[in-house]
Amino acid sequence: MQTNKLPVRNTDIRLPAAMKITDDVAIRLELSRKDWLHLQLLVEETLGMVRAMTDGFEGKFWLEYEGRICYICLEVETSMDLDRKDQLIALSTSGKNASRKGFMGKIADIIENSLLFYDNVGMLQMQYGTQVIPMEPTGAGFGEEAMVIPVWSLNEYKQNLAPEEEKTENSEAWDELEKSIVAKLSDDVIVGIKKNKASFTIVKKFE
């Protein structure tokens, strides 16, 4: 099942409307109070990420569910002109957007850069520590468009990090994950791309 899609942008994330959609799904799934709260937190984190994104990006938010699996979905696109796109590419490659902190800041960077660097997905995978996932997700949680190219997965990202107990250069990354509500509560987070659209999906399985 899929809810209605709610238009969102960084200047208007429409949190009350998004919470109404979330609560309706929680009731349909007969979630416990704890699971209901977790779903609300994941939705709040998703929309908080939208608020932190650069002007020129906007999207649609919705939920999908199959059995006891819920997908928190966000589809982001940009219609910026070439000059503005060149400015953002220069900003992202110079590292000046490094002021974004935390796990969801990293995801916002991946989404924006997926749209800016669509012709060089391989560079993104190297930059953010994952590889193309060998699948074409066209079912629940990935919107209506076919041929979405997955460029980042939380589970794959974790697998590619050195073991948490080892003191390595990845200790900061593990610390980032430990502090993230989304990384703790979700079963996976997947970012995909198709031309001028990027998809963000949180997978949450309820008992």
Side-chain angles (χ1 to χ4, degrees), residues 23 41 104 176:
D23 292 344
L41 287 172
M104 293 303 280
E176 191 176 75

Side-chain angles (χ1 to χ4, degrees), residues 17-199:
M19 285 295 105
K20 176 63 167 59
I21 291 174
T22 304
D23 292 344
D24 287 346
V25 170
I27 292 171
R28 287 180 178 273
L29 294 179
E30 299 180 343
L31 297 184
S32 67
R33 184 169 183 174
K34 179 180 178 182
D35 287 341
W36 193 327
L37 176 60
H38 286 176
L39 185 60
Q40 288 178 328
L41 287 172
L42 289 172
V43 168
E44 288 176 356
E45 288 289 310
T46 297
L47 296 178
M49 180 187 67
V50 175
R51 182 186 283 121
M53 293 186 74
T54 310
D55 289 339
F57 294 85
E58 58 186 35
K60 295 179 181 179
F61 160 85
W62 72 97
L63 297 181
E64 298 183 22
Y65 53 96
E66 289 183 345
R68 303 293 289 174
I69 303 176
C70 188
Y71 302 87
I72 300 170
C73 307
L74 180 70
E75 185 177 77
V76 179
E77 62 183 313
T78 180
S79 56
M80 65 181 65
D81 59 34
L82 184 60
D83 288 343
R84 176 62 174 155
K85 184 172 181 177
D86 287 344
Q87 290 174 10
L88 286 175
I89 289 175
L91 183 66
S92 63
T93 55
S94 68
K96 292 179 181 178
N97 60 346
S99 59
R100 279 190 183 138
K101 301 296 183 182
F103 175 72
M104 293 303 280
K106 181 192 296 291
I107 299 297
D109 282 342
I110 293 171
I111 291 174
E112 290 189 9
N113 289 338
S114 293
L115 294 172
L116 296 174
F117 295 101
Y118 175 72
D119 294 328
N120 197 349
V121 172
M123 183 193 70
L124 287 172
Q125 293 153 359
M126 183 178 299
Q127 180 179 356
Y128 293 107
T130 190
Q131 299 175 348
V132 167
I133 307 162
M135 62 179 183
E136 293 178 1
T138 58
F142 296 95
E144 301 170 351
E145 303 233 14
M147 298 302 293
V148 174
I149 303 172
V151 295
W152 193 90
S153 160
L154 173 60
N155 288 344
E156 179 133 341
Y157 176 66
K158 288 179 178 178
Q159 291 173 9
N160 288 340
L161 290 177
E164 186 174 3
E165 62 272 13
E166 292 183 7
K167 298 298 182 181
T168 70
E169 67 275 10
N170 290 324
S171 59
E172 183 177 346
W174 280 115
D175 184 58
E176 191 176 75
L177 291 175
E178 280 295 316
K179 293 177 180 177
S180 168
I181 291 175
V182 172
K184 283 185 176 180
L185 297 181
S186 65
D187 290 280
D188 201 2
V189 177
I190 300 172
V191 178
I193 182 173
K194 182 183 179 182
K195 294 184 179 178
N196 69 326
K197 294 182 180 180
S199 66

